[in-house]
Every structure is written in structure tokens, then in C-alpha cells.
């Protein structure tokens, strides 16, 4: 996670900013943002982060106890 907490859509937005040159990343953040492990930060990394966020959101909704 880039923001220091749980992985969220904000992390994907930060990756998109970095991949377009709008945000500079230090070495540690660059490694964290390269979720595909291909050595670069790209929109594909942001898409993978969003996939994780969506899947986790669905899992939370299906595991909640009925009211």
C-alpha cells in the first residue's frame, strides 16, 4: 500500500499519477507500486490494485452477518 494503510482505490490513483509523470516516487514506493513485478509502474499496476479492492469489497459484503 502506498498511502500507509489498507489498499484502496486511492493507491490506484497514485499509481496512475506516477505512471503519467505527475507524481514522483522514491525507491520504496516504486517497488510497492509495481504490483505486476515487471520493473515499471504503469496503468496495468493500477488496474490490478483496483481488482484487489473490488474483490475485497465483495468479500466483505458477503461475509457480513444478516441484520
Amino acid at each position: 500500500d502506498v498511502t500507509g494503510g489498507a489498499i484502496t482505490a486511492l493507491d490506484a490513483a497514485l499509481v496512475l499519477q506516477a505512471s503519467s509523470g505527475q507524481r514522483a516516487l522514491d525507491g520504496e514506493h516504486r517497488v510497492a507500486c509495481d504490483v505486476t513485478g515487471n520493473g515499471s509502474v504503469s496503468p496495468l499496476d493500477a488496474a490490478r490494485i483496483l481488482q484487489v479492492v473490488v474483490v475485497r469489497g465483495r468479500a466483505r459484503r458477503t461475509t457480513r452477518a444478516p441484520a
Side-chain angles (χ1 to χ4, degrees):
D1 148 73
V2 180
T3 58
I7 297 171
T8 68
L10 177 58
D11 294 302
L14 295 174
V15 168
L16 286 173
Q17 289 175 341
S19 69
S20 66
Q22 296 176 2
R23 178 178 294 272
L25 299 173
D26 62 22
E28 183 178 327
H29 285 117
R30 182 163 292 283
V31 170
C33 289
D34 179 19
V35 296
T36 59
N38 66 357
S40 66
V41 175
S42 72
L44 178 59
D45 295 302
R48 295 286 166 84
I49 290 169
L50 288 174
Q51 286 174 336
V52 168
V53 169
V54 168
V55 168
R56 285 186 180 172
R58 286 181 185 160
R60 272 190 237 134
R61 283 194 300 271
T62 60
T63 59
R64 287 186 185 158

